[in-house]
Amino acid sequence: MLRSMKAKHVRMFIAGLSLIVSIIILGTIPVWVERQKCWEICVWKHVCLLQILGGIFLFVGSIKSNHWLSLPWLISACIFIYTLLYKSVLYFYYLEDRLLMLVPLFLTIAGFWCYFVFDVFQDFLLWHGHINLSN
């Protein structure tokens, strides 16, 4: 966890950010995607809905101090990262113009999400006593 903040607040921030990013992606899909070029658009909807549900579980788990509720978010975040990386490679090779500008954005979001997954998983292991912070 970030040393200057409580773990509970960091998890709540990550859950809120997860909700915001997923809602933004769901809200802007019709704007930046041309339907005839991206027939797999339903994948984004499913992954973002999973991420929203996982964010709700993480938020509730942070409030109630139930670390088991962070596991659905960890699973959905890994699926979200995989989708971001896979779609950025696909968009880089098969699309042009406007959508090509999204590739660096997807990679940046995936990088931040990897750190968030590491942070929440480390907190989960710390809660169970599997790691030692004697650094």
Side-chain angles (χ1 to χ4, degrees):
M1 282 289 136
L2 298 170
R3 301 283 186 226
S4 62
M5 297 179 70
K6 288 186 175 180
K8 176 181 176 179
H9 295 118
V10 171
R11 285 192 313 270
M12 289 172 63
F13 173 75
I14 291 172
L17 193 61
S18 172
L19 293 171
I20 291 169
V21 168
S22 297
I23 290 172
I24 288 174
I25 289 175
L26 279 176
T28 58
I29 281 176
V31 175
W32 54 264
V33 171
E34 299 171 14
R35 299 273 181 193
Q36 67 273 15
K37 290 185 180 178
C38 297
W39 53 269
E40 84 289 345
I41 199 66
C42 66
V43 170
W44 284 112
K45 292 179 183 176
H46 296 301
V47 169
C48 287
L49 288 176
L50 271 175
Q51 190 67 18
I52 289 171
L53 287 174
I56 292 170
F57 275 112
L58 184 63
F59 192 79
V60 170
S62 297
I63 290 174
K64 300 213 180 241
S65 295
N66 185 352
H67 285 56
W68 288 106
L69 290 177
S70 66
L71 291 179
W73 182 83
L74 285 169
I75 293 168
S76 68
C78 290
I79 294 170
F80 186 66
I81 292 168
Y82 172 76
T83 303
L84 284 171
L85 294 175
Y86 180 73
K87 293 299 177 183
S88 65
V89 169
L90 273 179
Y91 289 163
F92 182 73
Y93 283 114
Y94 294 112
L95 298 178
E96 67 279 341
D97 299 334
R98 258 188 353 196
L99 278 180
L100 201 55
M101 295 185 310
L102 292 174
V103 172
L105 178 66
F106 286 165
L107 295 175
T108 304
I109 292 172
F112 280 110
W113 244 251
C114 285
Y115 175 72
F116 293 158
V117 166
F118 171 75
D119 202 31
V120 172
F121 187 67
Q122 183 180 10
D123 187 45
F124 179 78
L125 291 179
L126 183 65
W127 182 69
H128 285 287
H130 292 298
I131 62 173
N132 187 6
L133 288 180
S134 61
N135 295 358

